[in-house]
Amino acid sequence: MREYTGGLPPHKLNQAITYIHGHLDQDLRLAEIAAIVQMSPHYFATLFKQSTGLAPHQFVTQCRIEHAKWLLAKQELTILEILPQLGFKSQSHFTKVFREQTGLTPTAYRSHS
């Protein structure tokens, strides 16, 4: 087994990030993302955090919130229509996470956009 220091090699990091961005609407699991780059989940999580400064689940959440902000600013879809695109199961969970990340509710963010 090959040892990596200083984080994921750039090609593996890009593979993981590309996979995450392409599957934000799904329930992303650590083992699933680790399998994409052919690593054990624990080893992948350690190196991913070294590379990005965030644990994989934090990175996924951040990507989902950034995508939500973009969708909310476009104002073409209702919040309920946005949820499936972001992988959130309920509006209350989405609102809680969105508020934690941005300090605003999705509705308040939309009205400020």
Side-chain angles (χ1 to χ4, degrees):
M1 185 161 129
R2 186 169 172 189
E3 291 284 326
Y4 297 103
T5 57
L8 286 168
H11 71 282
K12 288 191 180 278
L13 180 62
N14 287 338
Q15 273 183 304
I17 290 173
T18 299
Y19 184 81
I20 290 167
H21 283 285
H23 296 85
L24 288 176
D25 62 330
Q26 298 173 19
D27 184 19
L28 289 168
R29 303 215 180 263
L30 177 61
E32 181 183 341
I33 303 167
I36 295 298
V37 296
Q38 300 173 339
M39 292 181 158
S40 74
H42 178 73
Y43 192 46
F44 168 75
T46 300
L47 294 179
F48 189 88
K49 186 167 184 173
Q50 287 177 10
S51 296
T52 64
L54 297 170
H57 73 277
Q58 293 171 319
F59 185 85
V60 169
T61 299
Q62 185 179 49
C63 290
R64 286 182 169 144
I65 296 304
E66 288 305 312
H67 191 58
K69 289 159 95 176
W70 181 76
L71 290 169
L72 289 166
K74 287 178 58 177
Q75 301 193 16
E76 294 174 1
L77 301 172
T78 67
I79 292 173
L80 287 176
E81 291 171 325
I82 289 172
L83 293 179
Q85 295 182 41
L86 303 171
F88 287 98
K89 304 287 187 255
S90 72
Q91 185 172 349
S92 63
H93 182 237
F94 170 61
T95 300
K96 178 182 179 267
V97 172
F98 193 89
R99 183 184 295 131
E100 287 171 356
Q101 297 287 317
T102 66
L104 297 170
T105 65
T107 303
Y109 182 86
R110 176 172 266 172
S111 67
H112 284 78
S113 297

